[in-house]
Amino acid sequence: MQDIRKSFGNLHALDGISLQVAERKVSILIGPNGSGKSTLINVVSGLYSPDSGKIIFDNKDVTSFAPHKLYKMGIARTFQIPALFWKLTVLENLLVAEKENLGEGFWNSLRPAGLRSREDFFRPWQDTASGWQIIRGLSTMRNLIRRRSVITRLFGEKALIEFLRSLLGSTLKTWKEFFAPSWHEAEKRAAEKAGRILDLLGLSRLWNQPAYLLSGGQMKLVEIGRALMSDARLLLLDEPVSGVNPTLAHEIFSRILKLRDELGLTFFIVEHRLDIALKYVDEIFAMALGKLIASGSPDDVMNNRKVIEAYLGG
């Protein structure tokens, strides 16, 4: 981001913020209350539009893009207070975040899988046995219809039975797949994807648990899981261990490192609990009074005089 400015009346919440979040790293944003951290993450995630400046993501200018557009591009965020669907299960909370949900559109929900693409359309016919059974059955029906007394001959010559037998043969599986709703396969893939994410987050045993029964830390992990369902590359986390007991807080940051290493994700995190976060982060940005006052490695930033004065009160 370059020279980001945002004011609310006479209050300059962001006063020329410029920083670059390293890819495939865990970076945190720190600062005392009122320093502008929440405003900055709201600007990056599209909830606020900056008064001036640019936000660059994937070499594209995404300044003032709406949250849903950023979501499709690979930027997802979580909130300090988890906003889950409380009566849905853990698995269902992840599934609702899947971007390519064909069942959400009326016509797409009715479209058979065989009409998704040219390849899907011709697949049953490429099965030689299946294709020729149908062709023989149709040929028999066509010849029969050309004659008189169609109804009598239809049953008398058992042409209808032959045709149905061709449909109900051992090769029926390909035709079931052809006429199955196109969202069936998409739902299956989404469930498998959600299962893998739950494994990464250590939530597999809770997949069928209603969200309202989870602990605060587990809710935070579910929010991260929903963000991962979007195939996001940049995750913006707003105080992911706020209000979480120390043991689970360390577990959450350990999972974040695992996601960084295994999926190559980039994290930009607003966090106050430095006693827990410092050992897990690659880079720190420090703010005070709407300005960036320090950036660098944890040791460099925490020993910076401006940070000690502004943030730690030294």
Side-chain angles (χ1 to χ4, degrees):
M1 61 192 74
Q2 304 169 3
D3 196 28
I4 298 296
R5 299 178 184 274
K6 179 67 178 178
S7 297
F8 300 95
N10 293 324
L11 175 63
H12 301 296
L14 300 176
D15 191 5
I17 298 292
S18 296
L19 59 85
Q20 182 173 353
V21 177
E23 292 186 22
R24 301 186 178 186
K25 301 290 183 182
V26 177
S27 303
I28 67 170
L29 181 65
I30 67 173
N33 291 332
S35 60
K37 303 185 303 299
S38 295
T39 302
L40 181 60
I41 200 171
N42 284 335
V43 167
V44 175
S45 60
L47 293 180
Y48 294 161
S49 293
D51 298 332
S52 63
K54 291 184 178 181
I55 298 172
I56 307 297
F57 175 71
D58 199 21
N59 296 319
K60 298 182 180 68
D61 186 350
V62 297
T63 310
S64 299
F65 275 31
H68 70 275
K69 288 186 178 180
L70 295 174
Y71 184 78
K72 290 181 179 180
M73 294 179 67
I75 300 177
R77 72 165 290 180
T78 66
F79 294 85
Q80 182 177 350
I81 300 175
L84 305 179
F85 296 97
W86 304 115
K87 292 187 178 181
L88 297 185
T89 66
V90 170
L91 177 62
E92 290 167 341
N93 266 279
L94 266 63
L95 291 177
V96 296
E98 174 67 14
K99 288 193 294 188
E100 301 298 330
N101 194 334
L102 298 177
E104 289 183 351
F106 177 73
W107 294 113
N108 279 336
S109 67
L110 299 178
R111 184 176 62 180
L115 298 183
R116 285 180 306 193
S117 66
R118 183 183 181 91
E119 180 183 1
D120 290 324
F121 180 81
F122 284 107
R123 183 175 291 115
W125 303 96
Q126 291 169 350
D127 181 337
T128 304
S130 177
W132 281 109
Q133 278 188 15
I134 299 299
I135 290 173
R136 283 196 299 269
L138 289 174
S139 178
T140 301
M141 292 291 290
R142 183 194 63 182
N143 293 333
L144 185 60
I145 290 173
R146 288 178 175 177
R147 307 174 188 176
R148 297 178 180 179
S149 304
V150 173
I151 300 299
T152 302
R153 294 180 181 276
L154 194 63
F155 291 94
E157 297 186 19
K158 300 182 180 180
L160 179 62
I161 295 176
E162 181 182 342
F163 179 62
L164 292 177
R165 184 177 298 164
S166 70
L167 286 176
L168 298 174
S170 60
T171 56
L172 184 60
K173 180 180 178 182
T174 56
W175 292 101
K176 283 183 178 179
E177 294 173 350
F178 183 94
F179 289 106
S182 57
W183 52 266
H184 274 191
E185 190 62 30
E187 289 271 312
K188 181 180 178 181
R189 290 195 302 268
E192 292 172 349
K193 177 180 176 181
R196 293 192 298 269
I197 291 173
L198 291 177
D199 283 339
L200 286 171
L201 296 173
L203 295 174
S204 296
R205 72 184 189 284
L206 302 174
W207 71 273
N208 201 33
Q209 186 94 303
Y212 68 85
L213 293 179
L214 301 176
S215 69
Q218 291 167 342
M219 291 178 185
K220 302 264 189 178
L221 286 172
V222 172
E223 276 223 318
I224 294 174
R226 282 201 310 197
L228 294 177
M229 285 294 292
S230 70
D231 297 320
R233 289 173 289 147
L234 171 61
L235 273 72
L236 310 173
L237 310 184
D238 193 355
E239 300 192 33
V241 297
S242 174
V244 177
N245 71 73
T247 300
L248 190 49
H250 283 289
E251 174 69 14
I252 290 174
F253 267 104
S254 296
R255 296 289 175 179
I256 288 173
L257 293 188
K258 185 175 183 180
L259 294 172
R260 177 201 64 186
D261 297 337
E262 295 192 13
L263 302 181
L265 301 178
T266 303
F267 289 87
F268 187 46
I269 304 171
V270 174
E271 189 52 68
H272 280 296
R273 298 179 68 177
L274 302 184
D275 56 317
I276 293 173
L278 286 180
K279 64 182 290 187
Y280 298 100
V281 303
D282 301 301
E283 188 173 24
I284 296 180
F285 299 98
M287 290 182 63
L289 300 176
K291 295 179 179 293
L292 185 69
I293 59 173
S295 64
S297 68
D299 288 339
D300 290 341
V301 172
M302 297 313 297
N303 289 311
N304 185 287
R305 179 178 57 84
K306 291 182 179 179
V307 174
I308 294 172
E309 292 176 355
Y311 189 82
L312 302 179

